[in-house]
Amino acid sequence: RNVFEVTAAQWSGSQRDWIFDVPAGSKIIVNVGGDFVDMANGRMVLPEGVSNVDVLVNYVDATGISLSNFSHSGSVLAPYASGTFTGGSIDGIAILGGSVVSKGGFEFHNFGLDVFSSSARLFPK
């Protein structure tokens, strides 16, 4: 597994791609600390051999997330956050604890989540 720890300020941004340089077959967990995330006009880029089901972005203590024309590859866990989403998409499971406003053609694509699958399971079958 590849676990990344970043601040909301580091994760926020405009007109850029968030590129993950990890081996094929990796599972990615990104823990984002901070209260507000704002991402616009960009995307998350996954390497060959890593798909949306392999990525979880955990907005640990965010109270607000704004995505505008942004392609969010992977699932979102934001238990305290409200979201404002314009254009773009979340390509995975989205769990938000607050209200959600989507407009401008924003889409949710439920690709599922498989970051916990491995020979050593976090949860027994």
Side-chain angles (χ1 to χ4, degrees):
R1 294 195 206 320
N2 293 282
V3 178
F4 300 92
E5 303 281 340
V6 297
T7 67
Q10 291 168 322
W11 192 245
S12 294
S14 180
Q15 297 182 341
R16 65 181 240 213
D17 292 340
W18 285 252
I19 299 171
F20 292 90
D21 185 15
V22 298
S26 290
K27 306 297 184 179
I28 300 170
I29 298 174
V30 181
N31 292 314
V32 181
D35 63 348
F36 185 74
V37 172
D38 186 8
M39 303 167 87
N41 304 313
R43 63 189 175 131
M44 292 168 56
V45 180
L46 306 178
E48 187 173 326
V50 177
S51 72
N52 297 333
V53 301
D54 300 317
V55 180
L56 172 65
V57 181
N58 179 19
Y59 294 95
V60 179
D61 35 33
T63 56
I65 300 171
S66 175
L67 303 178
S68 178
N69 298 313
F70 188 83
S71 177
H72 195 292
S73 299
S75 292
V76 170
L77 175 60
Y80 309 111
S82 292
T84 302
F85 307 132
T86 306
S89 62
I90 292 177
D91 300 324
I93 295 171
I95 301 171
L96 289 96
S99 62
V100 173
V101 175
S102 65
K103 54 189 173 182
F106 189 86
E107 298 177 355
F108 291 92
H109 302 139
N110 184 0
F111 284 100
L113 178 62
D114 194 29
V115 295
F116 298 114
S117 69
S118 70
S119 58
R121 294 194 174 273
L122 179 61
F123 301 107
K125 280 188 163 181

